[in-house]
Each structure stands twice: as C-alpha cells, then as structure tokens.
Amino acid sequence: MRYFLCLSYDGSAFCGWQIQPSAPSVQQCLESTLSRLLGRPVAVTGAGRTDTAVNAAGYVAHFDWDGILPFEASDFTYKLNAMLPREVVVHSVSEVADDLHARFSARRREYTYFIHRQKDPFLRAFSWQCGYPNLDFDAMNKACRYLLGTHDFSCFEKTGTDNKTSICTVYEAFWKPYTPTHIQIMGEGAEEGIVSQTHGRPLPVGRGRSEAEAVCDTISSAYHPYWYFRIAADRFLRNMVRATVGTLIEVGRGKHSPEWVAELIGRGTRGDAGESVPGHALFLNQVEY
C-alpha cells in the first residue's frame, strides 16, 4: 500500500531534500525515522528537490508499506513527530492509490520567496534583507508576465544538471507587499518602526495609532519594506526560482527593462541572467495533484 505524507521543514539544517553522501538531508532524516518507527528499512520519495537551506511548508512525499500501518493515522503522526528533529514536522499521513506518485503525479508546484528591505531581527532566518534602494516593483511585475506560459527556462537552470528537458509551464508569477505577523500583532510600536525606517526620520513615542497609520498610508508600494514573490508551475528546474528572483531584482534596480526577461528566455544562458538569491528565504508551499 502507498501512503502520502504532508510535511514542513526548516531547511537550514539540511543540504536539501535529496540524500547526499556526506551531508544531512530531509529525505535521509525521514527515511531513518520511519525505518526506526516501523522496524524495517523504508524508502521515501519526495515531490521534488529543494536546495540547501530551502524550506517547505507543504511538501509531499510517499512511501510503500506491505499492508496496513501498525498504528492509527493520528497515532502514527504523533509517534513520527516525537522521533523527528524539531526542524521537521509531519502534518498528516494518508493512504492513496498505488499508482499515485509524489513526484510524477504532481500537476502544480508553488514557491514563495520573501524579502525585507529594512533591518528586522525577527525575519532574518526566513527572509532575505535586500538592501538595494528604490526597487521598481511595477517593472518587476511587468517582467513577470514574460515568465508565464510554456518556455525553455534553461537560462535560470543550474549548469551541469542532467535534466532531459528544460521546458516548464509557469501558471502565475508576481510580487506583492505584505505585513509580517509580528508587525500586525504588536501594532502601534511596530508600525511606527516601519514608518521611521522607511522615511528616515523618527516618530516620537506615544503618538496616536491613527497618525502612524496615516503616515503608513502615504508610503508608496515602491518603499514598502516587506514583499514576497510567488511563482507556480508544473515543474521547476534546479535553482530556477532563486535565479528568477535575482533576475527580477536586476529589473527592479533599473539595470534592465522588463523585456530583457523575454530576451533571456528566448536565447539567453545562465551566465546572462541575474545572480541567485540566498536559499533561506525560499519556501515550497504547495503541491497539487
């Protein structure tokens, strides 16, 4: 029988999903823990690779087991999580059809990349502090339009890979501002901190919330300190998302026009595109079947 696992992991402790000969991986960690729990070797297949330090909030993997599991699903999940390191959590285990494959049956995968444009000690583990001033997010979103559709994305692929094809279909890609949870919860003081950093001047302690909000409302999207990039596709190449983000940042800095992205996809190489951004701010957040 085949079982699907839905899990999340903090990638900072691992070399990525796939087993490596001399470095810890999420796959190896999960296989080892399952094998100890079930009393015999268990092989695990994941929805795809994630690179070193890349995180997952909705990863899917499967394993095969002869017969019914020796525990109820809730007990199985509880016992598995008690044995796994704190960087990995299994949300659920469910029986699926024997021909449903965690990798090859997936129809859509979605990644999110987080950036912050001011110093924030509460985000540094899972968001990239992008220090480039005056990023043009309108231009970056215009460039995103050229990513949509079915194309050869080898210009964003890590060199030396053994893929049979570099063709992917991108369903959506966009940049959007957001307000982190700690800012929302802590309210006035945190919001005034945003205004202070963004406008380069302090706000006196004790000012009313309505005034702080009024100033926040005047901040154009170009100066908003917190952004995320969302991209969904049928498949992704190695390093593709991080290289895409780095390329779009080049557009936002004004080094290239949005149309440059179309030119890259049409005839560019990996050396022509932007640099890859750090992996710790990237999340695989959804896999659909």
Side-chain angles (χ1 to χ4, degrees):
M1 302 180 74
R2 178 158 293 179
Y3 293 89
F4 262 29
L5 297 170
C6 180
L7 63 146
S8 296
Y9 54 84
D10 171 359
S12 63
F14 303 103
C15 66
W17 163 261
Q18 189 169 355
I19 291 178
Q20 302 292 327
S22 58
S25 70
V26 183
Q27 184 182 27
Q28 181 274 328
C29 174
L30 196 56
E31 286 190 351
S32 174
T33 306
L34 276 169
S35 298
R36 285 190 289 125
L37 178 61
L38 294 174
R40 70 180 193 224
V42 177
V44 177
T45 300
R49 292 179 176 180
T50 55
D51 293 335
T52 299
V54 174
N55 314 287
Y59 195 86
V60 178
H62 80 248
F63 69 95
D64 294 326
W65 181 257
D66 295 335
I68 300 174
L69 292 175
F71 312 103
E72 294 291 335
S74 58
D75 290 339
F76 183 83
T77 303
Y78 174 81
K79 292 176 182 292
L80 190 57
N81 282 323
M83 299 171 67
L84 286 166
R86 61 183 181 179
E87 291 86 3
V88 183
V89 60
V90 172
H91 303 297
S92 64
V93 56
S94 56
E95 182 184 338
V96 297
D98 290 342
D99 61 352
L100 193 62
H101 196 281
R103 178 183 176 188
F104 297 123
S105 299
R107 297 183 294 105
R108 175 186 171 108
R109 297 166 173 86
E110 185 176 280
Y111 279 90
T112 302
Y113 194 89
F114 293 92
I115 72 169
H116 55 289
R117 307 176 64 202
Q118 62 183 31
K119 190 174 182 179
D120 190 324
F122 306 111
L123 290 181
R124 60 190 179 90
F126 299 109
S127 178
W128 176 45
Q129 183 175 343
C130 178
Y132 298 120
N134 304 323
L135 287 178
D136 186 344
F137 285 93
D138 287 337
M140 292 159 69
N141 271 324
K142 288 179 182 178
C144 285
R145 298 173 189 170
Y146 298 106
L147 299 171
L148 303 179
T150 302
H151 308 286
D152 184 328
F153 287 97
S154 55
C155 60
F156 300 134
E157 182 180 16
K158 185 176 182 179
T159 57
T161 58
D162 55 357
N163 283 330
K164 294 181 179 179
T165 177
S166 298
I167 295 176
C168 309
T169 299
V170 173
Y171 303 119
E172 66 176 359
F174 61 85
W175 289 89
K176 188 174 182 178
Y178 80 104
T179 302
T181 303
H182 70 280
I183 299 294
Q184 298 178 40
I185 293 175
M186 289 188 286
E188 180 179 331
E191 289 187 21
E192 289 183 355
I194 291 179
V195 176
S196 175
Q197 287 200 53
T198 304
H199 286 261
R201 58 182 176 81
L203 284 177
V205 176
R207 285 209 177 173
R209 179 177 173 80
S210 61
E211 183 172 353
E213 288 179 338
V215 178
C216 282
D217 288 342
T218 66
I219 302 174
S220 69
S221 63
Y223 293 99
H224 197 288
Y226 303 104
W227 289 79
Y228 68 85
F229 172 67
R230 173 75 47 78
I231 185 169
D234 62 339
R235 61 190 293 266
F236 286 92
L237 310 174
R238 290 192 66 184
N239 198 55
M240 177 176 165
V241 180
R242 293 193 290 133
T244 300
V245 172
T247 299
L248 294 173
I249 292 290
E250 296 284 278
V251 173
R253 295 174 62 191
K255 298 186 69 174
H256 299 278
S257 69
E259 292 72 24
W260 173 61
V261 173
E263 296 173 5
L264 282 174
I265 295 173
R267 56 179 181 273
T269 66
R270 180 66 193 91
D272 299 321
E275 294 184 3
S276 294
V277 290
H280 72 279
L282 180 60
F283 287 76
L284 171 61
N285 57 277
Q286 190 175 42
V287 184
E288 294 183 6
Y289 293 88

